[in-house]
Amino acid sequence: HVQLVESGGGSVQAGGSLRLSCAASGRTYGRNCMAWFRQAPGKEREGVAAIGTSGMTNYADSVKGRFTISRDNTEKTLYLEMNDLKPEDTAMYYCAASSYQLEWQTRWRTGAGFGYWGHGTQVTVS
């Protein structure tokens, strides 16, 4: 069982940076695939980035080269470093963990297979 709490969101101007954090509790965190999703009003949920237990990562094309996902299993924290932010990045950002202990969750962009979700942190870029 994993509980997730996001933090680090805020309002920034275009070109700025933010670092989102997701604090996890639970004994199985280090064995779960983790991911960041976002959803803006009127838009469908979008998979932003995912990281496997081995450190393998994958990103949405829209953020590749600007965002970096990482995890600290000792501190049970997931991070999303966001650079060169654009107005299009404005959304509620959610941290998620796979339902099962998997090195990598297939079809992660759909959110399928992620049974644990935080309540989100708002990112606004203007």
Side-chain angles (χ1 to χ4, degrees):
H1 187 268
V2 179
Q3 291 182 307
L4 309 170
V5 180
E6 303 96 335
S7 63
S11 298
V12 298
Q13 295 194 353
S17 300
L18 283 174
R19 190 191 196 197
L20 306 184
S21 297
C22 172
S25 62
R27 298 174 63 185
T28 62
Y29 166 80
R31 302 178 70 86
N32 293 76
C33 181
M34 304 291 295
W36 287 97
F37 296 83
R38 66 186 182 185
Q39 187 167 27
K43 299 182 67 177
E44 295 183 350
R45 184 178 63 197
E46 176 186 21
V48 177
I51 184 168
T53 58
S54 68
M56 173 184 173
T57 60
N58 197 256
Y59 299 87
D61 289 340
S62 59
V63 307
K64 192 172 298 183
R66 299 188 298 120
F67 292 9
T68 301
I69 187 172
S70 61
R71 63 193 297 169
D72 184 332
N73 292 338
T74 300
E75 299 295 328
K76 294 187 175 182
T77 305
L78 178 74
Y79 300 100
L80 184 67
E81 183 70 37
M82 310 165 68
N83 298 311
D84 191 24
L85 284 163
K86 304 176 180 180
E88 306 92 272
D89 296 318
T90 296
M92 183 73 75
Y93 283 71
Y94 299 90
C95 171
S98 59
S99 298
Y100 304 101
Q101 297 180 25
L102 302 169
E103 190 281 323
W104 184 255
Q105 178 65 55
T106 58
R107 302 180 67 86
W108 68 271
R109 290 179 174 83
T110 68
F114 291 88
Y116 304 99
W117 296 79
H119 289 120
T121 185
Q122 179 68 40
V123 172
T124 302
V125 185
S126 61

